[in-house]
Structure formats: structure tokens, C-alpha cells
Amino acid sequence: MLIAHLADTHLGKKQYHLEWREQDFYDAFTYAIEQAISEHVDAIIISGDMFDTYKPPNRAIKIARDTLKRAADKGIKIYSILGEHDTPKTRDYPPQVLVPEIRLLGINDYMDIIEKDGAKYTIAGIIHHPPTQRGLANLKKKIKQIAVDAEGKTLLMLHQTIINFFKLERGLEIHEIPENISYVAMGHLHWRKLYRRSNGQLIAYPGSLEITSVDDIDDWKKNGKGFYIVDLSGDRPEADKIDVPVTPQEKIVLEYPKHRIMLAKIMPELRKHAESGKLIIHVILHLPRKLEASPETEIRQIISRELGGIEKLHITWTRRYIGEEDEKAIEEQLEEQDPKEIEKSVISIILADNKEPDKEHLELAETIVALKDMLANDDLINAQHLVEEIARHEYWLRKIRLPQATIITVTKTITSTRTSRPREASRKPMRLDEFLRGG
Ligand SMILES: [Mn+2]
């Protein structure tokens, strides 16, 4: 029983508004499916975020249909779940309904039981659940039910955070996944991760098929991009990494005015990447605060000249202003810390009125940080859940209940040309309720 496990293919993503970047995501998908067909898999599973949005370009749907039809024509079954990207944000169908070859699991229909060589296998899936307390509670209930209903060796598709691996947001813990599930086919994290539990269970994130952000670059260099071919037939599941070629991306730091020398040093690496005919470079430029010049134009000219006029070249720019030596040291220190943890601790200290935050403050701060991320991602449905969760928090009740007859002092500054005599009322301490009434 061989299964190709893909996730986060993000079809329709048009990175940096580039036409050719949209095509790159289609090419990676087509390549992966062709590979899966040539490996003679019995099923292809896509663990969420197959499409970049729930309203992808028609082109994305057409390419998904054409590619998956070639697999289905060979008798390969295709299953998918929804990630947070392709979950409809209004009352609508997800884009997968337009691809008839896909059996979408996790909404009404949670599993399929298939037989091969006299053995039974369960392919199960649950759509992405928001990382709120209620969302996660529902998710855990569904996972338990699947573990009860499953027959034979079981594969479960999920699109969630597993907090033992990464702390993007709240999520599941490894011990919350029932032991009778052989292979946990994850999506959501864009990096490759393969973890074998002592009971033989495999938990696998294939990662995104293409490089979706600067944050993916290090993992791509270390582990490559692609998917897994999983063999469920043996006592223990086995997963093989299959690599998919992607457009190279490089992150470089250039410090003004040493930028020319630094660029020359890194050029052989850039030239190697450019052999593919495509390259995306993320330049982080360290500049003194008062610099008038824009070295970007010159750097761009050097790069395109040195790379022999490569056609598909895209450069992103980040400016970092460096004043004094210790400013730089602080920046380096900050880079080492997880920015989410910094946000969380700042918010929790504010909530604790500048005192040592306790568990409640930290918990609420974490929810607020999560809300900020969801709003940044335009994920309004999940944001709505979190707003409700935040609003219901007991912290506010304690915070608002003020001791009675609190006296606050409100002083008005009166600017008058006629008289310099301040009015009596403005100097008198006012009670809070008077103040709120506008007295
Ligand atoms: Mn994703």
C-alpha cells in the first residue's frame, strides 16, 4: 500500500505578484503528481492548503483537474482536507468541489476504508480547526472518534500545529494523537519534519512544495522541498523523501559601505543558483541612519550583470538602519529571540500592570498575539472566534471592578486672554462617576 503524501501546495499563489511565480507553484505540483504516478502509488493525499485561497484563479483549478485526472485514470485514489487557506470564509463551497477526482474528507465524510492484498487500510482526515480552545476541543474529540472507527492500518490527515515541533500558535501535543494511527499525515508547517514515536507511529510534515516565504529558505537548503512516499504495508510505516525542484531563493546581508566586497564573495553561490534560469534574492541592507544614497540601484546592476542578464530575477529589499555599535549588538540579540515570544512577554507585562505576569496574563497575551496574526492573514472567521474568547476572559472582570468612589484628578488647562483667574471647579478633584458622566 503506497501513498504519496503532499501538503501546502498553495496552487494559485502569485508570489511577489509575479506571473512566473504563479506558474512555479503549478509546475511543482504537476512534477510531484507525475512522480507519484511513476512510483505506482495507490493513493495521493493532500493535507490541506492545496489551494492558496478558497477562491483561487480558474487556472489553478484547471491545472489541478488536468493533473489529478491523469492520476485518477491510472486508478489512483485522491484525498484531501482543507487548510486555513482553502477553507471558505463565507458560506460557500471549497474549490475542491470543482475537481471531481478529489474525495474531500473531514466535513461530513471523515474516512474511507480500502482493501489491498487482503489487508484493510483506513484513510481518514479532518479539516483545519481554529487554534482556539473550542476549536481544539472539537478537533480532539473527532480524532478520538476516528481512532475508534478506523479499521486496519490507519492514516490520518490533519492541518494543524503540533506544539512539540513548532510554536506558531496553539495546537496538538504528540501524546494527544491515539497510538493506533500508523501514519499522521500533517499539513500546515511549511518545513519538512519526520518524527517516529517509540510505538512506531510516524508523524510527518512534507512541508510546502515551493518556497512560500523567506522563512522557508533555511529548511529548503537543509532538507529540500517535496513530498513523501509512504509504505503502509509493513509492521511499521516507512516514508521516503521525494524532492521537487523549486526556484532557488537566497537571503543575503550586505553592510554599507562594504556591500561590494560582500556581494563579490557571495556571487559564486548566486551564480550556481542562477543556472536554473530563475532566482529570487532577499537583500537585507545594513545602512547608517543618515545615508542619503540608495545603494539598491547599484547592487541590482551588479547582480544582473554578474548573472549574465538572467531573465527571471526578483530581488526583495529590507533596510536596517545601524547607528552605533551597540545598536547593532541589540539588533543581533533580538534576531536570536523568537519575535512572537517577545510580543507575548511585552503584552503579558502590560496586562500585569508592569508586575511579574502570572499564568493568566501569559495565556491571554498568547491569545492576543494569535489574534494579531489572524488579522494580518485576513483570517476573519478564526479572528472572530478569538475575539470572543478574549472578551469572555475573566481577566477583564477583575480589571474593570474598581473600588467605589475612586477619586481621580482632572485638571483642565484654561487658556483665556481675558482673565488669568482659574475657575474653581477645574481644580477640584472629581469622582470617577462624575467624570464619566461628563461632570
Ligand atoms: Mn500552508
Side-chain angles (χ1 to χ4, degrees), residues 8 10 48-49 84-85 159 188-190:
D8 296 276
H10 287 269
D49 284 359
E84 81 281 19
H85 276 263
H159 192 93
H188 197 34
L189 173 67
H190 284 192

Side-chain angles (χ1 to χ4, degrees), residues 17-84:
H17 306 286
L18 295 169
E19 205 91 22
W20 59 270
R21 269 313 271 164
E22 186 181 327
Q23 187 61 42
D24 280 349
F25 280 74
Y26 301 142
D27 290 346
F29 183 77
T30 310
Y31 182 95
I33 300 300
E34 295 297 346
Q35 282 295 115
I37 295 171
S38 67
E39 295 279 343
H40 302 287
V41 297
D42 300 289
I44 293 170
I45 60 162
I46 305 164
S47 296
D49 284 359
M50 174 180 170
F51 293 101
D52 190 50
T53 72
Y54 79 103
K55 282 183 179 171
N58 295 336
R59 213 167 128 66
I61 298 166
K62 173 87 166 84
I63 284 162
R65 282 186 75 142
D66 292 351
T67 313
L68 292 176
K69 187 169 185 304
R70 288 202 289 278
D73 286 347
K74 294 253 156 55
I76 299 170
K77 288 171 180 281
I78 298 148
Y79 302 91
S80 184
I81 56 168
L82 299 179
E84 81 281 19

Side-chain angles (χ1 to χ4, degrees), residues 38-253:
S38 67
E39 295 279 343
H40 302 287
V41 297
D42 300 289
I44 293 170
I45 60 162
I46 305 164
S47 296
D49 284 359
M50 174 180 170
F51 293 101
D52 190 50
T53 72
Y54 79 103
K55 282 183 179 171
N58 295 336
R59 213 167 128 66
I61 298 166
K62 173 87 166 84
I63 284 162
R65 282 186 75 142
D66 292 351
T67 313
L68 292 176
K69 187 169 185 304
R70 288 202 289 278
D73 286 347
K74 294 253 156 55
I76 299 170
K77 288 171 180 281
I78 298 148
Y79 302 91
S80 184
I81 56 168
L82 299 179
E84 81 281 19
H85 276 263
D86 42 15
T87 297
K89 308 289 183 276
T90 57
R91 289 182 67 86
D92 197 0
Y93 293 118
Q96 281 81 351
V97 301
L98 299 172
V99 186
E101 285 75 24
I102 296 178
R103 177 146 170 198
L104 190 61
L105 296 176
I107 301 172
N108 302 313
D109 184 15
Y110 288 88
M111 61 172 69
D112 191 21
I113 296 170
I114 41 186
E115 278 194 51
K116 167 116 200 228
D117 303 326
K120 274 188 178 168
Y121 299 90
T122 297
I123 308 288
I126 305 174
I127 58 167
H128 169 75
H129 276 52
T132 57
Q133 273 168 18
R134 203 195 306 172
L136 290 173
N138 283 338
L139 174 72
K140 288 172 199 172
K141 228 190 294 174
K142 286 174 187 167
I143 294 176
K144 275 189 193 151
Q145 191 57 49
I146 282 171
V148 171
D149 297 341
E151 289 179 44
K153 286 175 188 137
T154 303
L155 175 152
L156 172 63
M157 280 187 277
L158 295 174
H159 192 93
Q160 302 291 151
T161 291
I162 292 184
I163 54 178
N164 308 69
F165 302 146
F166 64 108
K167 294 187 171 63
L168 182 71
E169 61 199 5
R170 278 184 291 181
L172 294 168
E173 285 181 52
I174 287 177
H175 72 84
E176 290 170 321
I177 300 167
E179 302 211 350
N180 68 330
I181 293 163
S182 314
Y183 185 84
V184 191
M186 300 299 304
H188 197 34
L189 173 67
H190 284 192
W191 303 348
R192 270 177 161 171
K193 193 122 226 165
L194 195 59
Y195 179 81
R196 168 112 42 203
R197 280 172 79 183
S198 55
N199 57 23
Q201 180 182 72
L202 263 188
I203 302 177
Y205 281 96
S208 57
L209 261 193
E210 246 288 352
I211 299 169
T212 55
S213 84
V214 186
D215 301 335
D216 289 4
I217 296 176
D218 290 341
D219 182 70
W220 162 65
K221 287 191 170 179
K222 210 170 127 213
N223 299 317
K225 285 270 168 218
F227 64 102
Y228 295 121
I229 299 251
V230 189
D231 188 356
L232 278 183
S233 322
D235 287 341
R236 279 153 51 113
E238 298 295 341
D240 275 339
K241 250 168 55 164
I242 307 288
D243 283 342
V244 169
V246 300
T247 290
Q249 299 203 20
E250 188 68 73
K251 200 168 46 176
I252 59 177
V253 177

